[in-house]
Amino acid sequence: QVQLAESGGGLVQAGGSLRLSCAASGSIFSINAMAWYRQAPGKQREWVASITRGGTVNYADSVKGRFTISRDSAKNVVYLQMNDLKPEDTGVYYCRFLTGLNTYWGQGTQVTVSS
């Protein structure tokens, strides 16, 4: 049974930084992409950033230049470095791993940015 676990969330002032981590437990093979999503209160979950097996990264316009996604493929861990945080970055952040057959989601970690 594959499980993803996020960590690193918390409360930070505007302009601050946080680094999220997401690690997979269990046997998971052929990860095609790793991604981060977030969900603000009362809003739909939205894609934030992704990194493919080949290393291609993409970001939502709202976080471009402030967030950086990276990974440790050997450990099946994905990171999200978040700098210059803004109150509108507040939400629950979820990681997602995609293989050829399955999609896995983490349980989420809360990020709160105070103004």
Side-chain angles (χ1 to χ4, degrees), residues 7-65:
S7 60
L11 173 64
V12 65
Q13 288 188 330
S17 298
L18 285 174
R19 188 190 194 211
L20 306 184
S21 300
C22 172
S25 61
S27 298
I28 183 169
F29 304 100
S30 299
I31 299 173
N32 292 326
M34 300 172 171
W36 287 96
Y37 290 72
R38 67 186 180 189
Q39 187 166 18
K43 295 188 177 181
Q44 289 189 331
R45 190 174 300 187
E46 64 174 359
W47 168 77
V48 173
S50 59
I51 182 167
T52 68
R53 183 191 302 193
T56 300
V57 298
N58 286 286
Y59 299 95
D61 288 343
S62 59
V63 307
K64 204 170 292 185

Side-chain angles (χ1 to χ4, degrees), residues 71-99:
R71 66 182 177 188
D72 184 335
S73 297
K75 297 181 180 179
N76 287 336
V77 177
V78 64
Y79 304 97
L80 187 68
Q81 177 67 43
M82 305 186 294
N83 299 327
D84 189 24
L85 283 161
K86 304 177 180 181
E88 52 264 42
D89 294 319
T90 294
V92 179
Y93 282 69
Y94 300 89
C95 60
R96 181 187 185 197
F97 285 13
L98 292 86
T99 69

